[in-house]
Amino acid sequence: MDSFELICPAGNPAALRAAVDSGADAVYLGFRDATNARNFPGLNFSRDDLAAGLAYAHARKVEVYVAINTYPQAGNPEPWRRAVDDAARLGADAVILADLGLLDYAARHHPELRLHLSVQASAANAEAIRLYRDAFGVRRVVLPRVLTVPEIARLNAETDVETEVFVFGGLCPMAEGRCSLSSYATGLSPNKQGVCSPASHVRYEPRDGALASRLGDFTINLFAEGEPAGYPTLCKGRFVAGGSAGYLFEEPTSLNAMELLPDLKKAGVRALKIEGRQRSKAYIAAVVGAYRAALDAFAAGRPVPRPDLDAMVEGGAQTTGAYTRAWR
């Protein structure tokens, strides 16, 4: 049985080492600027950091993928092109791109560089994936988290491009990182500046015995005394509609598809991705280690262990998301 490739997040050099040491087959990371979709203070890699990270990973036979997955700003493509150039120069194993123009640039200037299509491109059918393959030589596509397992199986039957799917971490099904809700509230775009619900616009304030979470000028949630206060992202906000308060867009839960390993393998998925470049190295070590143990057991035909990862998931709740679409 060919094994899955386990792709793990690295928000900083310490997290990269934790992912590598815990059993990652590859890590993905971004430069410390707007070219990647996790452009938060204190995260990401300088060019020197990437060089050191590549040396550490490659010495342990782990690959490194550089996410350059935001969209170049009009009239200013140079930071994105420079990111592609530097990733290639330093020896990255692949770059993860979403923008058509940047894919064209990478294909023309670095034909030897392996190209992966970011989830931010939202390619969810075989026709779209074949277009990226034929036009730019894309070798792998990260599928959006809106497809069922049978849909993924049909897609894989119709294309020879490798597919990679998320199996753990945050759910972002609203056209993935291209969601416009955060842009509306803060003026900063996830798909341009790489920031969803930036910390500079977040605040918490007491209100009539409760705690209100705010994003820009908007109240996102109101937490009762003793209730855990989540981070204010609009898609996971609790709003009043029809006279009652509830999560209108998305419940604050986390994806965990460990139980679906046999189904994802049968569907032809090549790689499994853990979300969490903004997470701590302790989170990385725990989740990557759990998935490494599960994948090793699955590949050997042993029962897959089911570790307790409740402490690692948002709201203490886990879901298989759209893969099973249990709500239908």
Side-chain angles (χ1 to χ4, degrees):
M1 176 190 297
D2 292 335
S3 59
F4 289 111
E5 184 178 330
L6 182 60
I7 316 297
C8 304
N12 56 48
L16 179 146
R17 292 190 293 271
V20 170
D21 295 346
S22 299
D25 294 310
V27 297
Y28 67 102
L29 51 84
F31 287 124
R32 199 173 293 152
D33 55 34
T35 63
N36 91 90
R38 289 292 184 270
N39 181 27
F40 296 111
L43 287 185
N44 301 311
F45 287 69
S46 68
R47 270 57 175 177
D48 288 342
D49 289 337
L50 176 57
L54 281 162
Y56 188 88
H58 286 170
R60 292 155 181 82
K61 302 188 185 317
V62 174
E63 296 194 331
V64 176
Y65 306 152
V66 179
I68 310 170
N69 57 343
T70 53
Y71 289 76
Q73 298 171 18
N76 184 31
E78 288 310 314
W80 283 261
R81 292 176 179 177
R82 188 164 57 248
V84 171
D85 293 341
D86 288 346
R89 173 178 58 84
L90 292 168
D93 298 286
V95 290
I96 308 170
L97 309 178
D99 180 71
L100 288 167
L102 199 59
L103 282 159
D104 178 66
Y105 176 87
R108 287 187 294 107
H109 289 83
H110 302 284
E112 77 292 347
L113 182 60
R114 183 179 173 95
L115 303 184
H116 292 184
L117 187 67
S118 170
V119 70
Q120 294 219 126
S122 297
N125 58 71
E127 290 79 7
I129 293 170
R130 286 197 294 266
L131 174 64
Y132 284 106
R133 178 200 63 191
D134 296 343
F136 310 115
V138 164
R139 304 275 296 279
R140 178 181 295 178
V141 57
V142 185
L143 297 177
R145 284 162 280 195
V146 296
L147 300 174
T148 64
V149 172
E151 287 169 340
I152 293 171
R154 288 195 294 272
L155 186 154
N156 277 322
E158 295 173 8
T159 176
D160 58 357
V161 178
E162 296 176 0
T163 53
E164 179 176 316
V165 302
F166 283 92
V167 289
F168 194 90
L171 280 167
C172 190
M174 305 179 74
E176 297 296 340
R178 302 180 68 179
C179 178
S180 61
L181 289 173
S182 177
S183 305
Y184 177 80
T186 68
L188 295 174
S189 168
N191 62 311
K192 288 186 178 178
Q193 289 86 19
V195 285
C196 174
S197 304
S200 57
H201 289 65
V202 169
R203 67 182 187 275
Y204 298 88
E205 56 188 40
R207 184 182 299 174
D208 299 327
L211 183 66
S213 64
R214 305 266 292 169
L215 182 64
D217 295 330
F218 300 90
T219 297
I220 304 303
N221 214 327
L222 197 63
F223 300 97
E225 185 176 354
E227 183 181 6
Y231 192 82
T233 55
L234 262 165
C235 61
K236 295 178 183 176
R238 186 162 49 184
F239 305 105
V240 176
S244 62
Y247 293 100
L248 299 185
F249 299 108
E250 180 186 338
E251 294 278 347
T253 61
S254 291
L255 176 68
N256 187 357
M258 189 177 289
E259 66 185 71
L260 300 179
L261 295 182
D263 301 309
L264 293 171
K265 172 58 68 175
K266 187 176 180 180
V269 170
R270 175 68 185 90
L272 306 180
K273 190 168 199 169
I274 294 171
E275 185 273 340
R277 281 194 285 145
Q278 73 278 28
R279 303 287 189 171
S280 69
K281 67 177 183 179
Y283 171 97
I284 300 300
V287 176
V288 174
Y291 262 85
R292 180 76 274 157
L295 292 180
D296 288 349
F298 177 66
R302 303 192 305 270
V304 175
R306 300 292 169 83
D308 181 4
L309 293 173
D310 281 349
M312 301 296 164
V313 301
E314 187 173 6
Q318 303 176 43
T319 177
T320 53
Y323 293 136
T324 53
R325 286 190 181 167
W327 60 85
R328 281 189 170 177

